[in-house]
Amino acid sequence: MATIFLRTVIIYLILIIAMRIMGKRQIGELEVSELIVTLMLSELATGPIGNRDIPVAYAVIPIVTVLTIEVVTSMILIKIPRIKNLVSAKPSVLICRGKLDQRELARIRMSIDELIGELRRQGNASVEEIEYAILEQNGKMTIIPKMQCRQPTLEQLGIHAEENGMAHILIADGYINRYNLNGTGHDDAWLKCELEKRGCSASEVYLMTVDDSGVIFFVPKEIFK
Amino acid sequence: MKSFLFTLLLFVLMLCAVITNTLFIDRLTRDMLILIDQLPGSAGEDGMPHLNRLDARWEKARKWVGLSVSSSDINRISDELISLRAFCKYGGNGDYITAREELRLAIEDLREFEIPLANLFFDK
C-alpha cells in the first residue's frame, strides 16, 4: 500500500510537469492541474472495476492521494499566488492595444490562421477590430473589440431599462425547487396562491420561474394521449 | 475551508489505514516465516502440527490481507500451503523442500514494509 501511495505522488508530479511543458493549448477548458486530476481519477477508478484481481484499496489510496494533493495545492496557490505560475499557465496577450504580438503567438505555438478563426468564431470580421485578444489559463480566448467596433449599450443610447436580474426555477416538471423558492424570498403559501390563480397544482406545472423583479413565467404540463 | 479540512481528515485516515495495513502484513509475514523455519527438514508426519499452525495463522489473517493484496497473491500462498501439506505427508524430501521454499518466496513477496526504489517503478 505504501508503494501505491508513493507511485501515485510520482505519477502526479510527472503528469504536472508534462502537461505544463505541453502548454495550455492542450487542455481545453480545464486548468492544467484540473485536467490531470480528471484524467488520473478516471483511469484510477476503472482499474479495480475492470479487474477483480485488483483490491479496491488500489483505487481508493491513489484517488484520496490525488484529491489531497489537488486540494492542498489549490489552497497553497490561493495563499501564495507567486507559486501559481509554476503550476498553471499565465494568460497570454496575443493582441495588445490593437497590435498583434507575433512573439507571443510563436511562443504558444498558435498560427495566425487559428487566431483569426477564433476571432471569427466570436463574431469578429478582422484583426483590425480587436483591441485585446487574451488566451486565458483555461484555454479559452477573451476578445475585447475596439471601442468603435463594440455594440452600443442601452446607457450609451440613452435608453432607461429596469433591472430584472435572472429567472429562478420554482417548479420544474412538477417538482418544487424549495432552495430557489426560499432564495427569492417567497414561501409555500405564496406559491400556492400563485398556482390557485392559474387553476392548477404544482404537479401540473411543467415550468414556473420568477425573476428578481417578481415577474412570473408559467408553462403548464401538456397531457400526451 | 470545510472541504479542505475534510480532505485532510480523509488523508490522515487513509495514511493511518496504510500504515496499519503495512504493519499488519509485516507482522503476518514475519510470523509465517518463523513458522516455516520451525518446519522439520524432511517430509513426514512430524511436520503436520507445524503445518497446522501455519495454516491457522494464514486462515486467521487471510480475509484482512485481501483488503490490500490481490487475490492472485493470496491464492498463490493458499495453493503453496496445500502443496506443502501434500508433499509433507506423501511426497519425497526434494519435493517437500522445494514446496517449502516456494511458500517462503510467496510470503516474502507480500512484504512491502521496506520500500525498495525498484518497487516504485516496477511491479513485483
Side-chain angles (χ1 to χ4, degrees), chain B residues 12-46:
Chain B
V12 169
L13 287 176
M14 186 203 72
L15 269 189
C16 289
V18 168
I19 291 165
T20 309
N21 182 272
T22 308
L23 292 174
F24 172 77
I25 289 180
D26 188 62
R27 191 173 160 190
L28 170 72
T29 52
R30 201 174 53 224
D31 288 354
M32 289 191 73
L33 288 172
I34 290 169
L35 288 170
I36 290 173
D37 287 339
Q38 289 172 355
L39 285 169
S42 56
E45 288 289 338
D46 294 349

Side-chain angles (χ1 to χ4, degrees), chain A residues 1-220:
Chain A
M1 285 172 103
T3 306
I4 303 164
F5 168 66
L6 287 173
R7 275 185 178 194
T8 310
V9 174
I10 289 168
I11 292 167
Y12 178 84
L13 292 175
I14 288 170
L15 276 171
I16 282 274
I17 294 164
M19 294 301 292
R20 192 68 189 81
I21 291 167
M22 273 193 256
K24 56 180 167 274
R25 288 207 49 224
Q26 307 294 326
I27 62 175
E29 289 185 33
L30 299 168
E31 282 210 24
V32 175
S33 59
E34 293 166 343
L35 179 75
I36 287 168
V37 169
T38 310
L39 290 175
M40 281 184 85
L41 292 186
S42 62
E43 189 63 30
L44 291 168
T46 52
I49 296 169
N51 189 347
R52 288 175 63 188
D53 192 39
I54 302 171
V56 176
Y58 280 38
V60 173
I61 295 168
I63 288 171
V64 173
T65 307
V66 167
L67 175 72
T68 309
I69 293 171
E70 174 59 18
V71 170
V72 170
T73 307
S74 55
M75 203 72 182
I76 292 168
L77 293 181
I78 290 167
K79 300 281 180 197
I80 314 166
R82 268 188 291 178
I83 301 175
K84 196 169 172 66
N85 294 338
L86 298 173
V87 179
S88 57
K90 280 186 286 188
S92 300
V93 182
L94 306 176
I95 300 176
C96 184
R97 290 177 189 149
K99 191 172 181 297
L100 260 173
D101 189 337
Q102 294 180 33
R103 187 189 292 266
E104 190 61 15
L105 276 167
R107 194 184 72 79
I108 64 162
R109 300 188 299 281
M110 178 181 259
S111 72
I112 189 68
D113 291 339
E114 287 174 299
L115 176 64
I116 289 172
E118 188 59 32
L119 297 181
R120 278 200 302 268
R121 204 179 63 77
Q122 296 199 30
N124 300 284
S126 80
V127 179
E128 289 171 6
E129 296 175 4
I130 309 304
E131 183 70 0
Y132 282 98
I134 301 159
L135 187 62
E136 302 289 358
Q137 288 159 315
N138 61 4
K140 290 250 178 187
M141 182 91 76
T142 300
I143 291 163
I144 300 168
K146 286 180 177 165
M147 195 56 91
Q148 63 268 27
C149 300
R150 287 184 205 173
Q151 289 184 349
T153 63
L154 291 180
E155 192 182 3
Q156 286 168 333
L157 294 172
I159 300 169
H160 178 72
E162 288 294 325
E163 191 65 61
N164 59 359
M166 59 174 270
H168 305 274
I169 296 173
L170 299 182
I171 302 176
D173 208 7
Y175 290 96
I176 299 169
N177 186 327
R178 295 198 185 279
Y179 179 80
N180 282 352
L181 184 67
N182 298 329
T184 51
H186 300 108
D187 55 16
D188 283 340
W190 174 86
L191 184 65
K192 195 179 171 190
C193 180
E194 290 296 331
L195 289 171
E196 276 172 4
K197 277 186 210 169
R198 288 160 179 84
C200 63
S201 64
S203 61
E204 295 166 328
V205 179
Y206 185 68
L207 179 66
M208 184 175 175
T209 65
V210 63
D211 66 20
D212 293 343
S213 61
V215 176
I216 293 170
F217 179 71
F218 182 85
V219 181

